[in-house]
Amino acid sequence: MFTEENLKKIEEIKKRYPTPQAALLPVLWIAQEQFKWISEDVMRYVAELLGLPYSHVYGVVTFYTMYNKKPVGKYHIQVCTNVSCMLRGAYENLEYLEKKLGIKVGQTTPDMKFTLTEVECLGSCGTAPVIQVNDDYYENMEREKLEKLIEQLSRDGK
Amino acid sequence: MEQIKLILKDIPELHRIEVYEANGGYSAFKKALGMKPDEIIEEVKKSGLRGRGGAAFPTGMKWSFMPKDSRPKYLIVNADEGEPGTFKDRAIIEKNPHQLIEGALIAAYAIGAQTIYVYIRGEYVKWMKILQNAIDEAYSRGYIGENIFNSGFSVDIYIHRGAGAYICGEESALMESIEGKRGYPRVKPPFPAQYGLWGYPTTINNVETLANVPVIIEKGGEWYSKIGAPKHPGTILFGVSGHVNKPGIYELPTGVLLTDLIYKYAGGVRNNKKIKAVIPGGSSTPALRGDQIEGVTMDFDGLRNAGSMIGTGGVIVMDEDTDMVKVLWRIAKFYWHESCGQCTPCREGTGWMFKILDRILKGGGKPEDLDLLVSVASNIEGNTVCALGDAAAWPIKFGVERFREDFEKYIKFKSTVLVEK
């Protein structure tokens, strides 16, 4: 199921640690990159690949919030609402996004384009409020900037 | 107070190795390779350097706990920056990654580690790439790898990406996470120097702590010890956020006045408002009331005497219109979310605190709720495997005490009379 390239990458990663189990988090990252989310099948596959019990892999995947346990949209919008962001309008941003996208926090639009998640501190407090879209940070997201970004993403022109 | 920059220097393109080298970079590591490991540890002890990740533990002493046998040993760079209000490690990785790498190499040589893992939070994708690029540069110049400069010392550096768990910034949970497990903190003792990664001696240091090390080796521990507050010397990368005009990172000597940090450096409060509260060192450190910040110095003792802690140096400023019930509600929500669930007082207590605060915020608070909050907090405090329990309890306990009138207004009027700006 992993591509040849990814299998090679995994072999390289395993060399960094004295046990195959230690490669679990990095391998799950590669899995998420390739399969977009970590399904039960993926967990069983990773477990077999690293020689670990499925229960262990399941325990790890469900512990860490960044592993997607269900499919996410093309743009995964993660809104930090922790204190520094809250003080500068994060909840107003979140409310705007819910209205604009027509979904609640934790949901994905029916066209699988947007997933909206409320997240804890992203370590970007000096440029609050911050949102993360997939891997990228968008800082100082005042309303106007946020509106522009969403329009751009809706049109798919990033 | 004079601004002195040991880490975030005003040198353009410093993240590139040739620029770093042209400005004296990696000379401290070369010097260190000519010293005995114990001499390095002595120098760091003399410098008085204390950890910058929150606990302010003396770094040289931590290193000296490492046994001198022939077992494999590990150094972990803690870049799992997740304490709300803290954004300094990413600034170091972005602006001066080689000083972090150089510090880590010196530390690894001093403690006899052959492998360095950099545990970085999963969201910092951009900074992982910057750091990996810097590591690759350092490999290509022979600073990392086999038999470095014919010294007989060999070391490798690997980045290990986290996946969204604040608790993994706690050093024993972090080790569990590297081992490929859920991030449950371990019972201590044994401490990591005795029983660390895979049971081998391990030292875990924060990014900023290690970035200070090359300066100490280059200029000497005594020189370093004279910067800032005598019992907590050096500079700290203070991150200022919230209702200030110029949020950002300010590298300043320890002992700087909190009011100077806010007014002189961070441009004062937006719209010239008064200060209602300041969280001085990340969300785990109790907020001070606006009338408690006069004369407070930003160092371990200064903040302890003021009724809080230095923590990570992440300062969150809140103006007079801030709804402190909502702030404490948000902090409680955070710890509830991040509690790993291993210890009952923390797993249950953080949820109860959040539920009580949520009830108060929504107008259903009862007068006895305030004592109940303090009681729950007191029952978490000291009764858990790791410090997350304390970090969750203290802000609430002190928050209820220091901002009681905010809570009483909510309970009396049964509605959200205060609106956060």
Side-chain angles (χ1 to χ4, degrees), chain B residues 281-334:
Chain B
S283 68
S284 304
T285 64
L288 298 169
R289 273 197 324 262
D291 60 14
Q292 292 178 303
I293 64 170
E294 205 60 50
V296 173
T297 58
M298 294 299 285
D299 56 88
F300 188 85
D301 292 322
L303 279 161
R304 196 182 49 185
N305 295 338
S308 191
M309 290 177 293
I310 183 75
T312 59
V315 178
I316 307 175
V317 179
M318 291 160 270
D319 71 20
E320 56 190 303
D321 299 330
T322 309
D323 176 353
M324 288 310 289
V325 176
K326 182 129 192 214
V327 168
L328 292 164
W329 167 86
R330 189 62 189 80
I331 290 174
K333 189 179 178 193
F334 171 70

Side-chain angles (χ1 to χ4, degrees), chain A residues 31-48:
Chain A
Q32 180 147 307
E33 214 174 282
Q34 188 179 325
F35 307 114
K36 306 298 172 203
W37 66 289
I38 314 277
S39 64
E40 192 192 313
D41 285 346
V42 171
M43 284 187 246
R44 288 192 187 280
Y45 173 58
V46 168
E48 203 184 304

Side-chain angles (χ1 to χ4, degrees), chain B residues 100-395:
Chain B
L100 164 63
I101 294 168
E102 186 175 7
L105 290 169
I106 295 168
Y109 175 71
I111 62 170
Q114 302 87 358
T115 310
I116 302 170
Y117 295 109
V118 182
Y119 190 97
I120 188 165
R121 63 175 300 169
E123 293 88 345
Y124 277 3
V125 176
K126 175 180 162 188
W127 295 275
M128 267 173 244
K129 286 178 186 158
I130 294 170
L131 186 59
Q132 187 60 57
N133 188 50
I135 291 171
D136 293 344
E137 284 180 328
Y139 263 107
S140 71
R141 303 268 173 131
Y143 295 119
I144 315 175
E146 289 288 313
N147 191 17
I148 299 160
F149 300 125
N150 287 317
S151 63
F153 173 63
S154 305
V155 72
D156 282 305
I157 303 186
Y158 304 113
I159 293 178
H160 190 95
R161 183 183 181 186
Y166 167 75
I167 191 58
C168 291
E170 194 279 342
E171 59 182 18
S172 64
L174 190 160
M175 294 191 292
E176 292 287 298
S177 185
I178 291 182
E179 290 182 11
K181 303 181 211 159
R182 293 163 77 93
Y184 285 153
R186 298 176 183 173
V187 177
K188 286 172 265 183
F191 291 95
Q194 292 132 24
Y195 193 94
L197 267 178
W198 302 289
Y200 294 116
T202 304
T203 290
I204 299 108
N205 287 132
N206 173 260
V207 166
E208 187 183 347
T209 311
L210 289 169
N212 275 287
V213 169
V215 183
I216 292 166
I217 296 306
E218 188 194 324
K219 305 214 167 166
E222 205 180 315
W223 180 88
Y224 187 92
S225 73
K226 296 201 170 112
I227 303 166
K231 287 185 184 167
H232 189 185
T235 62
I236 288 183
L237 273 59
F238 295 106
V240 189
S241 65
H243 295 141
V244 288
N245 284 312
K246 293 195 304 181
I249 300 283
Y250 299 92
E251 180 175 3
L252 291 162
T254 53
V256 64
L257 284 170
L258 175 53
T259 46
D260 275 356
L261 184 56
I262 296 169
Y263 289 102
K264 208 170 138 192
Y265 294 99
V269 183
R270 283 198 312 195
N271 306 316
N272 279 319
K273 295 220 164 140
K274 291 198 194 95
I275 292 177
K276 172 126 181 202
V278 177
I279 292 173
S283 68
S284 304
T285 64
L288 298 169
R289 273 197 324 262
D291 60 14
Q292 292 178 303
I293 64 170
E294 205 60 50
V296 173
T297 58
M298 294 299 285
D299 56 88
F300 188 85
D301 292 322
L303 279 161
R304 196 182 49 185
N305 295 338
S308 191
M309 290 177 293
I310 183 75
T312 59
V315 178
I316 307 175
V317 179
M318 291 160 270
D319 71 20
E320 56 190 303
D321 299 330
T322 309
D323 176 353
M324 288 310 289
V325 176
K326 182 129 192 214
V327 168
L328 292 164
W329 167 86
R330 189 62 189 80
I331 290 174
K333 189 179 178 193
F334 171 70
Y335 289 104
W336 181 37
H337 183 263
E338 300 300 340
S339 173
C340 78
Q342 190 176 216
C343 310
T344 312
C346 176
R347 181 188 64 233
E348 302 302 323
T350 51
W352 292 343
M353 289 198 300
F354 173 71
K355 281 176 199 158
I356 297 164
L357 283 159
D358 197 52
R359 177 164 81 208
I360 295 171
L361 194 71
K362 288 176 177 154
K366 293 171 262 180
E368 59 268 31
D369 278 349
L370 300 185
D371 288 342
L372 185 59
L373 270 175
V374 173
S375 159
V376 174
S378 304
N379 279 300
I380 300 173
E381 190 185 339
N383 292 324
T384 56
V385 161
C386 84
L388 190 142
D390 299 338
W394 290 330

